[in-house]
Structures are given as C-alpha cells and as structure tokens.
Amino acid sequence: TATGAALCRIPQGANAVGLSRLGVLPTGRDARGMLAEARGAYVLYGIEPGLDFVDTAAAMQALGGAQVVAFSHFACESTRAVADVILPIGLLPEIEGTLVNLDGREQSTVAGGRLPREAREGWKVLRALAGMLQADGFGFTDLAGLREGMAVRDVTPVAGTPVPAGEGMEVAASEAIYRVDAVVRRSQALQSHPLNQPPRAVVNPADAESAGLAPGGTGRFSTASGTATLPVELNPRVAPGTVWIETGHAATAPLRAGRLQVGRA
C-alpha cells in the first residue's frame, strides 16, 4: 500500500519451492525497498527483527518510526522494541500445516500439542485481522477452506534493490545450521551440538596477514550498520577479499549489509 507494508520470513531451501509456486514473491517492493522507503505501518510475520534482516540497523530504524503489528512466536527483545501490538501465534510443531520439499512434494504436519495460553494458529489470527480490515480473499472459516482457495500463480517478482558498492572486503554470509529460525535458536540440545559453532570470522590467510590478524586472535569488523568484534579463523578455501560469517547470531547481525572494514581489535 501507499503507507504500509507486510514483511514475512520467506525461508530458503525446501519450503521456498512451495511458496514460489503459490506466488508468495515480492511484486511491489522487496524487503530492502520497504525499509529504505519507510512505510507508516508494518506487519511482521514470524520475524525476529534483530536477527532476520540483512540490514539490521536499517530495519530497526524503519520499524522504530512506524506502527508495527507483529505475529510472533516468542516476542523476543527486538520484537518488543519495535512492535506496538504483538499477536501470539503457534510454532510449526504446534500447528497443522503443509510443507513442500525440494522435489516439490507436499508433506503434511499435525499439531504435536495444544497451543499455550492465548496463542493461536497464525492463519486464524491473520484471517481475523483481515476480516476487521475487510480485506478480500479471507472468506474461509477453517483450514480446509483456506486450502481450497490456494492455487498455483505465476507472478513476476520485482527486481531486488541492489546493495550500494563500496570499499572494503566482501561478506560471504551463510545461515548457521542450528540458528535458522526461532525454534532451533532456542533448542539447548541443538545449541550444544558440535556442528553448531560460535560466531566467528573466517578469512583467507593472505588477507589475515595484510590486516594484521592472527589465527585464534580477535578482529574488528565494521560496516555502516555497526561493528562486531569476532574471533578469527584462517582458511585458504575462503576467497581472497572475502570474510565468511554465519548468520543467526546477534554478534554477526551488523555485518550482512555492505562491505567490511577489517582490522585488529
């Protein structure tokens, strides 16, 4: 709309196949555009603002100056910082739903337990809100009715807003294996798994020598969005001129947007 925007977390990997098939793609503005051209109001769905945006600083600034309704699983600190209204919704293990794997096959889930206190299935809360706003397409009353209205759609996604070029090292960001969403981030067992690594910066040995970084030491990594002080690892498989980080950590959140200035801490 002219003054509002809805932001939801579209995952990478398997379920992105199903979402794309149903046309859940940006056709007006992408997320960067919604935040760069600040809206008067935002709807957040399943997002933890302090971790799930590429440019955390720009997101928090745009959301902080707007009216925000958040559909939230845990109401984390960053959600509470920006939301005017928080609507509690169930997690995937707590609701019935449909997932799509990488082969495009649908897989159904069933609720593993009752929703706590005032939490409701997200689709029910969204339907109720849309009904109050008299929005089209929300005439269903149950999950079967919702599914009947779902259909394959071909849409032309809007071109993404390019990241401004600048000086410094490139960022190669990948999602940490057990920090991809709100559920696994809070699993003590998964956080204790050896595949789950603490936040760190991995650089090519030649770049480390140029910047005065030593393996096992600490580096200072800065973008226009903020600065992070991280342990340094060396790996010749990291492309020269690149710093590899894993996302999903508060410590690496400022480093995903723009180029990095690197030095010793």
Side-chain angles (χ1 to χ4, degrees):
T1 65
T3 59
L7 295 162
C8 65
R9 191 174 192 277
I10 299 179
Q12 297 180 0
N15 212 37
V17 174
L19 292 168
S20 298
R21 178 187 296 170
L22 297 176
V24 185
L25 296 166
T27 57
R29 293 179 177 84
D30 63 357
R32 181 184 293 274
M34 293 182 199
L35 298 171
E37 302 174 31
R39 312 283 87 194
Y42 293 91
V43 175
L44 304 182
Y45 193 100
I47 288 176
E48 295 193 287
L51 294 174
D52 290 330
F53 287 106
V54 171
D55 193 335
T56 304
M60 296 301 287
Q61 181 178 355
L63 296 172
Q67 293 181 314
V68 176
V69 176
F71 290 62
S72 180
H73 307 303
F74 292 103
C76 68
E77 182 178 347
S78 62
T79 300
R80 297 196 302 271
V82 299
D84 297 280
V85 177
I86 299 177
L87 304 175
I89 59 174
L91 296 162
L92 178 61
E94 299 172 324
I95 64 173
E96 182 181 350
T98 302
L99 302 176
V100 180
N101 68 15
L102 287 171
D103 289 329
R105 298 182 180 180
E106 293 187 357
Q107 300 171 312
S108 298
T109 66
V110 296
R114 302 186 68 175
L115 292 173
R117 298 184 293 278
E118 297 181 357
R120 298 291 184 270
E121 294 92 334
W123 68 267
K124 287 186 177 180
V125 183
L126 186 60
R127 183 201 62 186
L129 179 61
M132 294 178 63
L133 297 174
Q134 299 182 338
D136 294 332
F138 291 87
F140 52 87
T141 58
D142 55 22
L143 191 55
L146 185 157
R147 286 172 168 158
E148 287 178 2
M150 296 170 62
V152 174
R153 291 197 309 150
D154 291 325
V155 300
T156 301
V158 64
T161 307
V163 178
E167 297 182 355
M169 297 183 71
E170 291 276 3
V171 179
S174 60
E175 290 186 301
I177 185 170
Y178 294 131
R179 300 193 66 86
V180 297
D181 61 32
V183 179
V184 297
R185 289 170 192 158
R186 290 167 174 80
S187 169
Q188 294 183 1
L190 293 179
Q191 295 310 307
S192 300
H193 194 282
L195 288 177
N196 191 70
Q197 298 291 320
R200 67 202 189 282
V202 186
V203 299
N204 186 281
D207 291 326
E209 183 177 359
S210 299
L213 302 176
T218 304
R220 183 180 177 87
F221 303 87
S222 301
T223 69
S225 298
T227 298
T229 301
L230 298 170
V232 174
E233 290 184 15
L234 307 188
N235 192 323
R237 292 180 295 176
V238 175
T242 303
V243 178
W244 173 46
I245 61 169
E246 289 188 316
T247 63
H249 298 280
T252 60
L255 305 183
R256 298 172 64 183
R259 291 178 177 259
L260 293 177
Q261 303 303 316
V262 180
R264 287 183 294 180

